Amino acid sequence: MSRPKKNGYRPRRGKTKPKPKSTLPTVSVIPLGGVGEVGKNMLVIEYGDDIIVIDSGVKFPGEELLGIDLVIPDITYLVQNADKVRGIFLTHGHEDHIGGLPFTLKQIQVPVYGTRLTLGLVKNKLTEHGLIRDAKLHEITADDVVNVGAFQVEFFRVNHSIPDGIGIAVRTPAGLIVHSGDFKLDQTPVDDKVLEFSKLARYGDEGVMLFICDSTNVERPGYTPSERTVGDTFRSVFAKTDSRIIIATFASNVHRIQQVIDTAAEFNRKVAVVGRSMVTVVDVSQQLGYLNIPKGMLIEAEEIDRLPDNQVTIITTGSQGEPMAALTRMATNNHRQVAIRQGDTVIISATPIPGNEKLVSRTIDNLFRIGADVVYKEVANVHVSGHAAQQEIKLMLNFLRPKYVIPFHGEYRHQATFAKLGQTMGIPDEHILRVNIGERYEMNEEMVQMTGTVEAGSVMVDGIGVGDVGNIVLRDRHHLAQDGVVIAVVTIDKENGNVLAGPDLVSRGFVFVREAGDMLGEAKSRVKDALTGRNTGTTEWSVLKNLIRDTLNEFFYQKTKRRPIVLPIIMEI
Amino acid sequence: MSRPKKNGYRPRRGKTKPKPKSTLPTVSVIPLGGVGEVGKNMLVIEYGDDIIVIDSGVKFPGEELLGIDLVIPDITYLVQNADKVRGIFLTHGHEDHIGGLPFTLKQIQVPVYGTRLTLGLVKNKLTEHGLIRDAKLHEITADDVVNVGAFQVEFFRVNHSIPDGIGIAVRTPAGLIVHSGDFKLDQTPVDDKVLEFSKLARYGDEGVMLFICDSTNVERPGYTPSERTVGDTFRSVFAKTDSRIIIATFASNVHRIQQVIDTAAEFNRKVAVVGRSMVTVVDVSQQLGYLNIPKGMLIEAEEIDRLPDNQVTIITTGSQGEPMAALTRMATNNHRQVAIRQGDTVIISATPIPGNEKLVSRTIDNLFRIGADVVYKEVANVHVSGHAAQQEIKLMLNFLRPKYVIPFHGEYRHQATFAKLGQTMGIPDEHILRVNIGERYEMNEEMVQMTGTVEAGSVMVDGIGVGDVGNIVLRDRHHLAQDGVVIAVVTIDKENGNVLAGPDLVSRGFVFVREAGDMLGEAKSRVKDALTGRNTGTTEWSVLKNLIRDTLNEFFYQKTKRRPIVLPIIMEI
């Protein structure tokens, strides 16, 4: 598999004398999630009787998925091939990479490989789901090599917004596949662990057939700033206030938490940790050695009031304005332990995830109304991304010189923009694969091409129901949300179809009944008239139902220009 | 009212010898919308028997206002004082300033004052609502002076993202009030009409008691770039493609449209105008002389295919990804006249309005999938704001040197940030009023202070219903949207309460019935058992209903962890 060393980027081309197609070993790569979307990352690599999976994530539903709690990949293909699956390899501990694991492990029992912090977070999750006893968790380091079936799996350390993130290199019978994981290139990382260039250089020399690359920030020119720049902002804020300082950020951003602790130590402040997931992550990270907290630095939330304001730092969840999160409650005086007071300084150390803009905005508003000094992304450098921008992606491409690339972890626009970027570096457009969920890409030593599809897609989780809410239910929820529902009930004599009781009308979400009493009364008369006017004697439900539905649809639209769901119900006795 | 000239900013202080309070004339300022929010701008100025109103806007509902089409200010106060209202003065033709006019004029018949383009757009709107015949529209220019009741009203030209925008200066018996309108300071505006500094300087010298100032961009340091910078981007895009160019922008951004036309002319392309509101605005603007279109430049959409690609420009609506707008349809091959093709260049010359991010993202994705080259705000300077950034606001404050300021056209965070900015210029914090909708601020020659409130708030428009959807209906819609509805119908004998038919269960938006057939069957049995187990003979509806509701709520929550709305209906015969 080794290739001659080259200077600068030159995409690896096919051999000059290809073997006949049929004799070349063929490896399949099948994304089950994380392409054409940001979220629920999951990728399948298959050869003969061996399958490995990279990541098992969830996606948080947009507002259009009414009432849905989580979205996970459809893993029918893995269930059908359960006996082949040799292991799931996790790149890092974010929800969009590990959050689907409980749902996956309920369906297929397979070993799970991850670094220490990643598995620490996984263990919590599996314990909550009652799955920890049967889980086969294998802790790896970036220097390990794991042989599973036909695959040799290696790892390389990357920088990201959570520690202990790795990329994965898979040696397959058809060539080397490299998966970047979620990465950025931080030249001055908080934990001093820079992305492992040397391994990348080695893979590049060896020859990379397929590179699966984080494309989330491919639209951004330049480099993503170092996490340390946020620490500089913290220091400048700490330097100029004697009030309490409250910092909200993503619970999983352990580097950010470390910087809060370091800054607090520098300014002789203690730190209280508030919010369920923040407490969990700080616990796990500290136990496993990913957080370095001076003795006596942490205080309980109950102790805050015993300290002078200028010795208090509070680190909390709620940076996304989530209604139940700690900061949101503190800002509305609904938190058990902490209420934001006039004069407090609140740092929202995060960017709103698309869709959360209004919630965050509302929290900022509430904080200002209390009289807090709010420091947020519009007015200060309080957050940096964890994903590589264009220059970092280019560097990665030059290190690896892959023959084919799959832009991962992005919408279609990111895939398309990645293709443009790749072309400027001499990668042919058709070698940058804009892949869709469920497509099977077959790779041999010569080429990668799409050869078919497998059953795949999204499964919605609502309450404890997995997959019992589909498009019809969602369509009804949308319809109900727009215009509400009107139910019309009639009891008829099953012998002759005479109306014995009703019609009764009940509505919800349609119109304010006190204001619209007359209209509903009139609607009732219309239905009554329609039922009287019909050919008597019919007991054909569908005829009666259509009659009622049509009468009410027409009447309500004429009166209100709205179209509630009309549900006629016929009772027979 | 005249004040000595001063160098630099010095806030105007009260006189040294105040007259006794009771003898000072008092003017009230009451915002009915546009404070603590961006949208539905409306401000009342009142003295004795005279009221004038500045703007009458709408707000587009966020997704949380399920099914609502528009939100307008509650104008009860104006209706109660209809005989006092002398006129509505419009600052410019954007929907959040004129969109509420039809609803207002249906309730109070008053003269409307506006510049030519503003009234041109108003006329269209009133015609649609069948109100044009009775409307009393008065066209003004920035140089007019209008005396209404106790007020002398003057105007000054401002720059904004629509032509013909003005600010308003109102001389009142208690001093001078200046309202900025929506403004930016464009030193090189497309129509060469720079904001009228000289008038501002004059007002400053005269002495401004109260300044009502656009605060939308107060978080942004520096200056908002000139509209012309977008024209530069257009030119660079036009220069490098021979394909068709499609540009989506806000229909009301006539300067932007002018720049498209100018660039098209420069590159020997024709322009087709597509999308209802775009056609309307181009028509009105051209008729009134706000668009300068060379003869033969405009083509019909039908003619596009007769021209070579490199002679085609299409300007269209849909920059917000609105499902029914032209670009959205073109991108999904659902437009009657135009379909985007591989190789087309599409410029999205706009920023997503908060809440529209996902819709815009979806449209960009669709365009990329077709193979179009998409130019959007993440990758090029295709849009600039129409609102003043910090330096422009400071300049305005230095010109006017107001004693009191109301930051307008902003959320609370903008009001609070404005106060910080004002303080850096020596305006006392308590002179920057963070006002709420419905608060009455009384102003005399000495001071401005809050003295009470009037009836005010939001009125929701749904279909043709104005105000018939309130919080209860919205709460039900949210509940329906989250978990759907289950209806349980029972027919009972009114003599003895025996169940004659049912229970029947019907659900919508709760659970996929094919998957959950068993559960619904079991639910039915549970209700039947509960009804059988009750003390027979009760015909008390509320007892029966509660029994059914409790039984089903408990059962469904246990089975699904969801809480659909359960609607028991009892029929008696």
Side-chain angles (χ1 to χ4, degrees):
Chain A
M1 293 297 303
S2 76
R3 303 279 149 189
K5 243 183 188 170
K6 285 171 188 162
N7 288 327
Y9 180 82
R10 280 194 51 195
R12 187 170 161 267
R13 304 281 169 169
K15 294 182 181 176
T16 44
K17 280 190 185 175
K19 303 180 205 166
K21 278 267 154 72
S22 56
T23 69
L24 291 177
T26 300
V27 167
S28 290
V29 174
I30 307 165
L32 294 182
V35 292
E37 65 179 354
V38 175
K40 64 179 171 69
N41 296 284
M42 192 172 219
L43 184 91
V44 173
I45 301 177
E46 177 177 14
Y47 176 76
D49 282 339
D50 298 314
I51 284 178
I52 60 171
V53 179
I54 298 182
D55 288 332
S56 180
V58 293
K59 187 174 174 177
F60 295 100
E63 283 193 49
E64 72 283 3
L65 295 183
L66 294 167
I68 300 302
D69 299 318
L70 291 175
V71 185
I72 54 177
D74 179 345
I75 60 162
T76 302
Y77 185 73
L78 294 178
V79 174
Q80 286 166 348
N81 294 281
D83 56 327
K84 292 188 183 178
V85 186
R86 308 284 163 240
I88 299 175
F89 291 84
L90 303 174
T91 57
H92 62 283
H94 278 155
E95 286 298 313
D96 56 335
H97 296 260
I98 67 168
L101 210 49
F103 302 96
T104 302
L105 293 183
K106 273 174 200 161
Q107 295 189 72
I108 54 171
Q109 281 73 46
V110 294
V112 175
Y113 299 84
T115 56
R116 186 187 292 173
L117 180 63
T118 305
L119 287 192
L121 296 168
V122 162
K123 279 174 192 160
N124 261 312
K125 192 170 287 294
L126 295 181
T127 305
E128 276 173 24
H129 280 81
L131 295 168
I132 191 69
R133 227 189 32 161
D134 296 328
K136 291 168 274 184
L137 304 181
H138 299 275
E139 187 179 313
I140 48 110
T141 75
D143 293 327
D144 288 339
V145 178
V146 180
N147 288 295
V148 276
F151 305 112
Q152 189 181 59
V153 186
E154 290 187 10
F155 314 98
F156 54 96
R157 207 167 57 214
V158 295
N159 299 118
H160 191 42
S161 43
I162 187 169
D164 232 6
I166 50 171
I168 298 180
V170 185
R171 281 201 185 74
T172 80
L176 182 58
I177 299 174
V178 176
H179 188 304
S180 73
D182 289 8
F183 82 101
K184 69 189 274 191
L185 171 52
D186 195 332
Q187 306 272 12
T188 55
V190 172
D191 60 4
D192 294 332
K193 292 180 181 166
V194 179
L195 185 146
E196 291 183 303
F197 301 113
S198 59
K199 288 184 183 171
L200 297 176
R202 187 150 49 77
Y203 299 139
D205 291 346
E206 182 179 332
V208 176
M209 190 62 195
L210 175 63
F211 178 39
I212 296 154
C213 185
D214 180 354
S215 66
T216 299
N217 277 356
V218 71
E219 294 170 329
R220 299 197 193 164
Y223 284 89
T224 300
S226 171
E227 174 65 27
R228 279 199 202 266
T229 62
V230 177
D232 296 339
T233 308
F234 287 169
R235 259 188 298 283
S236 72
V237 174
F238 276 63
K240 69 179 183 199
T241 181
D242 281 332
S243 69
R244 305 194 303 178
I245 297 175
I246 296 94
I247 300 179
T249 191
F250 299 104
S252 61
N253 199 328
V254 178
H255 298 313
R256 191 72 49 87
I257 298 170
Q258 183 68 60
Q259 295 200 94
V260 172
I261 288 163
D262 293 347
T263 314
E266 192 178 326
F267 288 86
N268 293 313
R269 286 175 183 256
K270 304 285 185 189
V271 175
V273 180
V274 176
R276 203 176 71 99
S277 60
M278 189 63 80
V279 170
T280 304
V281 171
V282 169
D283 275 359
V284 172
S285 309
Q286 196 180 10
Q287 279 168 32
L288 301 181
Y290 291 88
L291 264 183
N292 181 10
I293 307 180
K295 228 176 131 96
M297 163 64 75
L298 289 189
I299 56 169
E300 296 297 320
E302 289 76 12
E303 299 175 72
I304 292 170
D305 290 341
R306 285 183 233 148
L307 291 174
D309 287 355
N310 67 1
Q311 289 177 28
V312 173
T313 317
I314 300 169
I315 184 156
T316 177
T317 55
S319 67
Q320 295 298 308
E322 312 94 315
M324 303 307 288
L327 180 65
T328 318
R329 288 165 181 251
M330 293 180 198
T332 49
N333 206 4
N334 278 318
H335 193 271
R336 206 161 34 87
Q337 296 154 320
V338 187
I340 303 293
R341 298 194 306 243
Q342 184 167 10
D344 283 347
T345 294
V346 182
I347 304 176
I348 307 211
S349 181
T351 294
I353 293 168
N356 289 350
E357 293 84 355
K358 290 202 161 183
L359 290 173
V360 174
S361 187
R362 196 172 307 153
T363 298
I364 293 174
D365 248 33
N366 287 336
L367 293 168
F368 269 124
R369 277 181 199 278
I370 295 166
D373 195 9
V374 193
V375 185
Y376 50 108
K377 69 150 188 150
E378 272 84 359
V379 298
N381 173 39
V382 288
H383 181 69
V384 295
S385 172
H387 295 275
Q390 288 175 356
Q391 293 304 322
E392 292 151 273
I393 291 171
K394 286 187 200 168
L395 195 64
M396 203 68 141
L397 290 172
N398 272 325
F399 269 119
L400 295 174
R401 306 189 300 284
K403 187 163 178 185
Y404 286 85
V405 182
I406 291 179
F408 213 73
H409 213 281
E411 310 273 355
Y412 189 86
R413 66 197 253 194
H414 301 109
Q415 298 175 305
T417 306
F418 199 109
K420 274 198 214 173
L421 187 85
Q423 284 169 56
T424 66
M425 304 180 67
I427 309 181
D429 187 50
E430 63 274 18
H431 284 213
I432 301 179
L433 307 166
R434 280 78 115 185
V435 311
N436 292 300
I437 290 171
E439 287 175 350
R440 178 192 291 274
Y441 285 82
E442 288 193 346
M443 168 179 124
N444 58 35
E445 284 187 26
E446 303 298 327
M447 64 189 306
V448 179
Q449 61 180 344
M450 214 258 274
T451 58
T453 58
V454 306
E455 191 172 338
S458 292
V459 173
M460 287 176 269
V461 180
D462 183 0
I464 51 179
V466 179
D468 66 346
V469 172
N471 289 334
I472 296 173
V473 172
L474 278 180
R475 199 193 55 200
D476 282 345
R477 286 185 184 173
H478 274 278
H479 194 158
L480 290 166
Q482 285 300 304
D483 288 327
V485 61
V486 178
I487 301 118
V489 193
V490 182
T491 304
I492 61 169
D493 186 327
K494 71 177 146 202
E495 301 303 324
N496 53 26
N498 288 343
V499 174
L500 300 174
D504 272 10
L505 293 191
V506 177
S507 84
R508 282 292 185 281
F510 169 45
V511 72
F512 190 36
V513 177
R514 214 177 60 203
E515 300 252 316
D518 285 357
M519 184 176 68
L520 292 179
E522 199 183 333
K524 222 158 136 173
S525 312
R526 294 281 178 107
V527 175
K528 196 170 274 174
D529 293 350
L531 291 173
T532 314
R534 87 196 136 108
N535 294 334
T536 48
T538 200
T539 57
E540 190 65 55
W541 283 22
S542 62
V543 175
L544 290 177
K545 283 190 174 180
N546 283 338
L547 189 66
I548 295 172
R549 198 181 284 121
D550 293 347
T551 304
L552 288 177
N553 277 338
E554 192 190 323
F555 176 72
F556 289 137
Y557 188 71
Q558 173 212 327
K559 283 283 183 185
T560 66
K561 292 279 180 291
R562 296 176 214 166
R563 301 188 184 280
I565 290 189
V566 172
L567 286 180
I569 302 178
I570 313 286
M571 305 285 287
E572 275 187 342
I573 59 169
Chain B
M1 291 299 301
S2 77
R3 303 278 150 191
K5 244 183 187 168
K6 283 170 189 161
N7 288 327
Y9 181 82
R10 279 195 51 195
R12 186 169 161 268
R13 306 280 169 172
K15 294 182 182 177
T16 44
K17 280 191 182 173
K19 302 181 204 166
K21 279 266 155 70
S22 56
T23 69
L24 292 178
T26 301
V27 168
S28 291
V29 174
I30 308 165
L32 294 182
V35 292
E37 66 179 353
V38 175
K40 64 178 170 71
N41 296 284
M42 192 172 218
L43 184 91
V44 173
I45 301 176
E46 178 178 12
Y47 176 77
D49 284 339
D50 297 312
I51 284 178
I52 59 171
V53 179
I54 298 181
D55 287 333
S56 180
V58 294
K59 186 175 174 177
F60 296 100
E63 283 194 51
E64 72 283 3
L65 295 183
L66 295 167
I68 301 300
D69 299 318
L70 292 174
V71 185
I72 54 176
D74 178 344
I75 59 163
T76 302
Y77 185 72
L78 294 179
V79 173
Q80 285 166 349
N81 294 281
D83 56 327
K84 291 188 184 179
V85 185
R86 307 282 164 242
I88 300 175
F89 292 83
L90 303 173
T91 57
H92 62 284
H94 278 154
E95 285 298 312
D96 56 336
H97 296 260
I98 67 168
L101 209 48
F103 302 97
T104 302
L105 294 184
K106 273 175 200 161
Q107 296 189 71
I108 54 170
Q109 282 71 46
V110 294
V112 175
Y113 300 83
T115 55
R116 186 187 294 175
L117 180 63
T118 306
L119 288 193
L121 296 167
V122 162
K123 280 174 194 161
N124 260 313
K125 192 170 287 295
L126 296 182
T127 304
E128 276 173 24
H129 280 81
L131 296 167
I132 192 68
R133 227 189 32 161
D134 296 330
K136 289 168 274 185
L137 304 181
H138 299 273
E139 187 179 314
I140 50 111
T141 74
D143 292 327
D144 288 339
V145 178
V146 179
N147 288 295
V148 275
F151 306 112
Q152 189 181 57
V153 186
E154 290 187 9
F155 314 98
F156 53 98
R157 208 167 55 213
V158 296
N159 299 119
H160 190 41
S161 42
I162 185 170
D164 231 5
I166 52 170
I168 298 179
V170 184
R171 282 204 183 73
T172 80
L176 183 58
I177 300 173
V178 176
H179 188 304
S180 73
D182 290 8
F183 82 101
K184 70 190 275 189
L185 172 51
D186 196 332
Q187 307 273 12
T188 55
V190 172
D191 60 3
D192 293 331
K193 291 180 179 164
V194 180
L195 185 146
E196 292 183 303
F197 302 112
S198 60
K199 288 183 182 170
L200 297 175
R202 188 149 49 78
Y203 299 139
D205 291 346
E206 181 178 334
V208 176
M209 190 63 195
L210 176 63
F211 177 38
I212 296 154
C213 185
D214 180 355
S215 66
T216 300
N217 277 356
V218 71
E219 294 171 329
R220 301 198 192 163
Y223 285 89
T224 300
S226 170
E227 174 64 27
R228 280 199 201 266
T229 63
V230 178
D232 296 339
T233 308
F234 288 169
R235 259 187 298 282
S236 71
V237 173
F238 275 64
K240 70 179 180 197
T241 182
D242 281 331
S243 69
R244 305 193 303 179
I245 297 176
I246 296 96
I247 301 179
T249 191
F250 299 104
S252 61
N253 200 327
V254 178
H255 298 312
R256 192 73 48 87
I257 299 169
Q258 182 69 60
Q259 295 200 95
V260 172
I261 288 163
D262 294 347
T263 314
E266 193 178 327
F267 288 85
N268 293 313
R269 287 176 182 255
K270 304 286 184 187
V271 176
V273 180
V274 176
R276 202 175 74 97
S277 59
M278 190 63 80
V279 170
T280 304
V281 171
V282 169
D283 274 359
V284 172
S285 309
Q286 195 180 10
Q287 277 167 32
L288 301 180
Y290 291 89
L291 265 182
N292 181 11
I293 307 181
K295 225 176 134 94
M297 163 64 72
L298 291 189
I299 56 169
E300 296 298 320
E302 289 77 11
E303 300 175 70
I304 292 170
D305 290 341
R306 283 184 234 147
L307 291 175
D309 287 356
N310 67 359
Q311 287 177 28
V312 173
T313 317
I314 301 169
I315 185 156
T316 177
T317 54
S319 66
Q320 296 299 307
E322 312 93 314
M324 303 307 287
L327 180 65
T328 318
R329 289 165 180 249
M330 291 181 199
T332 49
N333 206 3
N334 279 317
H335 192 272
R336 207 161 33 89
Q337 295 154 322
V338 187
I340 303 292
R341 297 195 305 243
Q342 184 166 12
D344 283 347
T345 294
V346 181
I347 304 176
I348 307 211
S349 182
T351 294
I353 294 168
N356 289 350
E357 292 84 357
K358 290 202 163 185
L359 289 174
V360 174
S361 187
R362 197 171 307 153
T363 297
I364 293 174
D365 250 34
N366 288 335
L367 293 168
F368 270 125
R369 278 181 198 277
I370 295 167
D373 195 9
V374 194
V375 184
Y376 50 106
K377 70 150 188 151
E378 274 83 358
V379 298
N381 174 38
V382 288
H383 181 70
V384 295
S385 171
H387 296 275
Q390 288 175 356
Q391 293 305 322
E392 293 151 273
I393 291 171
K394 285 187 200 168
L395 194 65
M396 202 68 140
L397 290 171
N398 272 325
F399 269 120
L400 295 173
R401 308 189 299 282
K403 187 162 179 185
Y404 287 86
V405 182
I406 292 180
F408 213 73
H409 213 281
E411 310 273 354
Y412 190 85
R413 66 199 253 194
H414 301 110
Q415 298 176 305
T417 307
F418 199 108
K420 275 199 214 172
L421 186 86
Q423 284 168 58
T424 66
M425 304 180 67
I427 309 181
D429 187 50
E430 64 274 18
H431 283 211
I432 300 180
L433 308 167
R434 280 78 114 185
V435 310
N436 293 299
I437 290 171
E439 287 175 351
R440 178 193 291 273
Y441 286 81
E442 287 193 345
M443 169 180 126
N444 58 35
E445 284 186 27
E446 303 297 327
M447 63 189 306
V448 179
Q449 61 181 343
M450 215 258 274
T451 59
T453 58
V454 306
E455 190 173 339
S458 292
V459 173
M460 288 175 270
V461 180
D462 184 0
I464 52 179
V466 179
D468 65 346
V469 171
N471 290 335
I472 296 173
V473 171
L474 277 180
R475 199 191 56 202
D476 282 345
R477 286 185 184 172
H478 275 278
H479 195 159
L480 290 167
Q482 284 300 303
D483 288 327
V485 60
V486 178
I487 301 117
V489 193
V490 182
T491 304
I492 61 169
D493 186 326
K494 70 176 149 204
E495 300 303 324
N496 54 25
N498 287 344
V499 174
L500 299 175
D504 272 8
L505 293 190
V506 177
S507 82
R508 282 293 184 281
F510 169 44
V511 70
F512 189 35
V513 176
R514 213 176 61 202
E515 300 253 315
D518 285 359
M519 183 175 71
L520 293 179
E522 199 183 333
K524 219 158 139 174
S525 311
R526 294 279 178 107
V527 174
K528 195 170 274 175
D529 293 351
L531 290 173
T532 314
R534 86 196 139 108
N535 294 333
T536 48
T538 198
T539 58
E540 191 65 55
W541 283 22
S542 63
V543 175
L544 291 177
K545 283 188 174 182
N546 283 337
L547 189 66
I548 295 172
R549 197 181 286 122
D550 293 348
T551 304
L552 289 178
N553 276 339
E554 192 190 324
F555 176 72
F556 289 137
Y557 188 71
Q558 173 211 326
K559 283 282 181 186
T560 65
K561 292 276 180 292
R562 296 176 213 167
R563 301 187 184 281
I565 290 189
V566 172
L567 286 181
I569 302 178
I570 313 285
M571 304 286 287
E572 275 187 343
I573 59 170

